[in-house]
Amino acid sequence: MKLCRFGAPGAEKPGLVDADGKIRDLSAHVDDIGPEVLGPEGLAKLAAIDPASLPLVEGDPRYGPCVTGTRHFVAIGLNYADHAAESNLPIPEEPVVFNKWVGCIQGPNDPVTIPKDSQKTDWEVELGIVIGTRASYVSEADALNHVAGYCVVNDVSERHWQTERGATWDKGKGFPTFGPVGPWMVTADEVGDPQQLSMWLEVNGKRVQDGSTSTMIFGVTEIVSYLSQFMTLEPGDIITTGTPPGVGLGQKPEPWYLKAGDVVELGIDKLGRQRQDFVAWQPA
């Protein structure tokens, strides 16, 4: 299944994307696409519904973040060897973990605001893992049993704040609007092997990232198991799993970064695509 949330910010409704790519309204069956429906029982109930029986959503509504109720938005850094190399950093022996603030989550096609006085706003196409059931001290063999599905994430990053303003990356990762998620969550059964998904990103029509989850250093099972050793992953939590090479930081002969007016488009095989207009910060 492809599950989504559609409508104005803060007033999204739950939806299902049918085989023709049309949104069907799930409001009569669930209140939202959140923790209460992401477990096996909740997903099974939704899977039993005939999409043709659901009201067709007319027009071209806005996609919101594909899930709600996220408590933790956890990120893995340097998870592709060639991206670590372009960042001039060693291949990690254990996953590099940081947080993106939950408040930065937004719809996949909503504008992204370049922070005030930003010097190095960058892009990162990433596979997002959506947790379906609570995970604490789980083994790698059991890890996928806790995954509801997958989605596209743009891990927008401000490199100056990330690496030049102290020892923690979090400051450069969670600016408002820095977490586009969606357009939909595809359930794990429909995705199949999450380590065989192609991924890409373009800036103003120029292809800058073209990779595959097959080249991850730490795969989905390792990441979920590893995180569960020191935190409890809850239904609705999102883990974004690292990016292949081609970010602005790694461009040759010189790095280059996003500016107001730039358009970023990205996508992952089976999971859909995003489009963001990057806009200048304005005082409230």
Side-chain angles (χ1 to χ4, degrees), residues 2-3 20 44 61 66 79 112 117 136-137 140 175 191 208 226 235 271 277-278 282 284:
K2 294 181 175 68
L3 300 175
D20 296 322
C66 55
N79 198 26
V112 174
D117 301 324
S136 177
Y137 298 110
E140 290 185 20
F175 283 96
V191 172
V208 290
Y226 182 84
L271 304 182
D277 293 310
F278 278 69
Q282 297 290 337

Side-chain angles (χ1 to χ4, degrees), residues 15-257:
L16 181 152
V17 180
D18 67 19
D20 296 322
K22 304 294 185 181
I23 300 175
R24 300 281 180 161
D25 193 340
L26 278 170
S27 298
H29 298 270
V30 293
D31 292 332
D32 212 335
I33 306 299
E36 65 281 357
V37 303
L38 293 173
E41 183 177 341
L43 293 178
K45 288 181 179 179
L46 295 182
I49 300 170
D50 179 4
S53 70
L54 299 170
L56 183 65
V57 178
E58 301 292 344
D60 188 23
R62 166 189 174 269
Y63 281 102
C66 55
V67 296
T68 190
T70 302
R71 300 184 188 182
H72 306 112
F73 191 8
V74 189
I76 306 298
L78 304 176
N79 198 26
Y80 291 73
D82 32 15
H83 172 56
E86 72 175 356
S87 302
N88 296 314
L89 293 168
I91 295 173
E93 296 182 3
E94 295 189 32
V96 174
V97 180
F98 59 91
N99 285 302
K100 288 180 75 73
W101 316 131
V102 171
C104 80
I105 294 174
Q106 66 165 18
N109 304 318
D110 294 343
V112 174
T113 299
I114 296 176
K116 179 183 179 183
D117 301 324
S118 170
Q119 301 178 29
K120 299 177 179 180
T121 296
D122 207 344
W123 59 84
E124 297 189 6
V125 58
E126 303 199 3
L127 172 69
I129 305 167
V130 179
I131 297 297
T133 58
R134 177 175 290 185
S136 177
Y137 298 110
V138 302
S139 66
E140 290 185 20
D142 188 43
L144 292 185
N145 292 327
H146 297 272
V147 174
Y150 304 93
C151 62
V152 181
V153 176
N154 188 356
D155 177 19
V156 186
S157 308
E158 213 294 338
R159 303 298 187 191
H160 176 70
W161 279 93
Q162 177 188 350
T163 62
E164 301 172 39
R165 297 294 298 270
T168 58
W169 286 12
D170 308 55
K171 297 188 298 295
K173 293 287 190 171
F175 283 96
T177 74
F178 269 30
V181 173
W184 43 70
M185 183 200 80
V186 184
T187 51
D189 61 312
E190 186 168 319
V191 172
D193 184 356
Q195 305 304 152
Q196 297 296 326
L197 303 174
S198 61
M199 55 208 307
W200 58 272
L201 184 144
E202 296 177 352
V203 180
N204 299 329
K206 177 182 178 180
R207 182 69 57 99
V208 290
Q209 289 189 278
D210 205 345
S212 170
T213 59
S214 64
T215 63
M216 281 184 181
I217 299 169
F218 306 103
V220 171
T221 58
E222 294 170 284
I223 290 169
V224 172
S225 175
Y226 182 84
L227 291 176
S228 78
Q229 305 308 307
F230 54 84
M231 66 180 294
T232 300
L233 295 167
E234 301 284 357
D237 286 353
I238 300 170
I239 307 166
T240 190
T241 58
T243 198
V247 300
L249 174 68
Q251 295 297 309
K252 306 297 183 185
E254 296 291 337
W256 55 275
Y257 299 99

